[in-house]
Amino acid sequence: MLGPLFHAKITVESALARSRNMQKNSLYNTSSISLFQYLFAIAVIMVHSGRLTSYEPVHFTLKSILGRLAVPFFIVCASFFLKQSLRDSRKMKAYLVRIVKTYLFWSCVYLPYAWLFFSSLHLPVYLFPAGVLIALLYLGMCYQLWYIPAFLLGLFLVNQLVKRLGMVWAGLITLLLYCWGLIETYSAYLDTTSLLKGYQLYSNLFFTARNGLFYTPIFIYMGYYLFDHFHSQNFRVHRWQKLALAFGFLCLEGIIIFQHEGIDKNFFFLLPFVTVYFVNACLRSSFLKSYDLQYLKQMSIALYFSHPIFIEWARYGFSSLPLSYPDRGKLIFVTALFGSHLFGLVMLWVRERREKQKIPSNGEELDKITNQ
């Protein structure tokens, strides 16, 4: 007799606790975050579609300034909301399991693409399993999938640094690691220096610094820092002015890099600071706060994971057309944008149908509803 009553009491307490969490989260404008996640997913498609204009300054601005904001924005947002779950091992485990399952699913989808890429390198067949393992754990089976292993490694690294050394030392170490990646961006200014030679030796073995050791930790740390200091004066006062100032300095840094472009342009010194002020401004904004834009977040996920399918199909299908490189890029971009949106709409429709078929019948289902 007491068993069901005790279970009901636990269920109600759990629902109330999650209701309090929802009230706390209502302080944040998640609709604005969802909107910009969607827009930045489109920016990722734009970057991967190739050159859209022959005018070099516009191309640099679209790809190397605006396009480079996308992944940092995703990371800072994810780590901000993840920070409150660090002490709850069940939530953290559930999150990690979900993201790993998603990654493995899309890795299987893009396995043929990875196979074609390895074949183009004319590698011996017996090296293919090693190549697949490296792709799975480091580079990704396709060019957008590097983000997941990099995020997970960065998450582990930052959590360990914060746990063992505290936030101050964790911030300093992640900044120093990020500065190593800056060498590739500023390589044209570091010619003949020992720093560049050291980086070239590193890149010969590890290909890129855009990974979970040098790239993602600083942005994960920024998300944690924003969560811990969200109510501090630094983030409450003049948030839009600070964002505009930081973005202005980022543009100045872009002009410096544009004059002498380096090996690659993944790392900008001002990028972590611009991103954290950008996310802060979105979370505090009243713009669209009363609207439910969760579907845009789901659409951004669909766009991010599916767009290379349509890009590669379009790239192959339009390869014989007598078009200039920018015109072909525009056509690929439009095709990939349409195709990935169509995929996203189907995904949302299937998800909605599945949700309607679920009938809450026990405490677990009640918990799921109160946590949404």
Side-chain angles (χ1 to χ4, degrees):
M1 183 68 180
L2 293 177
L5 292 175
F6 180 75
H7 176 73
K9 180 177 182 294
I10 295 297
T11 301
V12 171
E13 288 178 350
S14 176
L16 290 174
R18 297 192 179 193
S19 178
R20 286 193 292 271
N21 287 335
M22 288 177 64
Q23 292 175 359
K24 182 178 179 181
N25 289 337
S26 67
L27 296 173
Y28 310 131
N29 185 352
T30 55
S31 296
S32 180
I33 293 293
S34 296
L35 173 63
F36 279 102
Q37 286 177 329
Y38 168 73
L39 294 176
F40 279 130
I42 294 177
V44 170
I45 299 175
M46 176 190 67
V47 170
H48 291 159
S49 296
R51 181 181 289 272
L52 302 183
T53 175
S54 57
Y55 188 50
E56 199 62 36
V58 175
H59 172 71
F60 181 87
T61 301
L62 291 175
K63 184 173 182 177
S64 299
I65 301 294
L66 298 179
R68 297 302 180 193
L69 282 168
V71 170
F73 187 86
F74 297 152
I75 298 175
V76 174
C77 289
S79 55
F80 175 87
F81 289 107
L82 196 59
K83 182 64 162 64
Q84 59 188 324
S85 302
L86 286 181
R87 295 182 180 179
D88 191 331
S89 59
R90 288 194 309 166
K91 283 186 178 181
M92 179 61 71
K93 182 179 179 180
Y95 174 81
L96 294 176
V97 169
R98 186 167 65 251
I99 196 172
V100 168
K101 284 183 177 179
T102 301
Y103 177 65
L104 291 177
F105 169 78
W106 284 103
S107 294
C108 291
V109 170
Y110 286 106
L111 188 59
Y113 175 85
W115 185 271
L116 290 174
F117 174 75
F118 292 141
S119 300
S120 68
L121 298 177
H122 305 291
L123 297 173
V125 176
Y126 64 84
L127 291 179
F128 277 28
V132 169
L133 185 62
I134 292 172
L136 188 65
L137 299 178
Y138 183 53
L139 296 175
M141 292 292 182
C142 193
Y143 41 77
Q144 92 286 23
L145 290 180
W146 69 272
Y147 167 77
I148 303 297
F151 177 75
L152 292 177
L153 176 58
L155 191 66
F156 172 79
L157 178 62
V158 174
N159 287 346
Q160 291 300 312
L161 289 174
V162 171
K163 179 180 178 181
R164 300 177 185 279
L165 302 177
M167 285 292 288
V168 174
W169 279 105
L172 180 60
I173 292 172
T174 55
L175 180 60
L176 290 175
L177 290 172
Y178 187 77
C179 287
W180 173 256
L182 285 170
I183 296 174
E184 73 172 24
T185 304
Y186 285 93
S187 58
Y189 291 95
L190 299 172
D191 195 21
T192 72
T193 64
S194 57
L195 278 175
L196 182 57
K197 292 178 181 178
Y199 181 82
Q200 288 172 336
L201 289 174
Y202 161 85
S203 61
N204 288 336
L205 184 60
F206 296 101
F207 306 108
T208 178
R210 192 185 62 172
N211 53 37
L213 180 59
F214 299 109
Y215 187 77
T216 59
I218 185 65
F219 298 108
I220 294 171
Y221 176 84
M222 285 296 186
Y224 284 5
Y225 185 86
L226 177 60
F227 181 84
D228 290 341
H229 299 83
F230 188 72
H231 300 290
S232 68
Q233 188 173 4
N234 179 37
F235 291 115
R236 283 192 300 108
V237 180
H238 305 305
R239 54 187 181 274
W240 289 107
Q241 292 89 332
K242 290 175 181 177
L243 172 60
L245 183 63
F247 186 74
F249 280 119
L250 177 65
C251 292
L252 290 177
E253 184 182 13
I255 292 173
I256 294 172
I257 295 170
F258 179 71
Q259 302 301 318
H260 301 283
E261 297 187 29
I263 299 171
D264 207 339
K265 298 173 287 296
N266 295 304
F267 293 77
F268 284 71
F269 181 77
L270 272 301
L271 194 54
F273 305 99
V274 172
T275 310
V276 74
Y277 280 120
F278 192 8
V279 173
N280 174 64
C282 289
L283 289 169
R284 295 179 183 276
S285 172
S286 60
F287 179 62
L288 299 176
K289 188 174 182 179
S290 60
Y291 293 86
D292 182 9
L293 299 182
Q294 182 68 17
Y295 70 94
L296 285 183
K297 179 180 179 180
Q298 299 303 322
M299 182 64 77
S300 70
I301 295 172
L303 297 184
Y304 186 86
F305 282 111
S306 69
H307 74 270
I309 297 173
F310 305 99
I311 284 180
E312 296 307 318
W313 282 352
R315 188 167 287 155
Y316 176 78
F318 302 145
S319 60
S320 59
L321 294 180
L323 297 172
S324 65
Y325 191 35
D327 288 340
R328 183 177 288 109
K330 293 171 188 173
L331 191 56
I332 291 172
F333 172 66
V334 171
T335 303
L337 192 63
F338 176 79
S340 55
H341 269 87
L342 187 61
F343 172 83
L345 290 174
V346 172
M347 185 195 76
L348 290 175
W349 179 78
V350 170
R351 180 173 180 172
E352 184 180 357
R353 287 288 300 271
R354 292 178 62 185
E355 290 295 328
K356 287 181 178 179
Q357 292 174 359
K358 291 181 179 179
I359 301 176
S361 58
N362 53 43
E364 182 181 356
E365 288 296 326
L366 178 61
D367 284 350
K368 287 182 181 180
I369 292 173
T370 56
N371 194 36
Q372 289 179 351

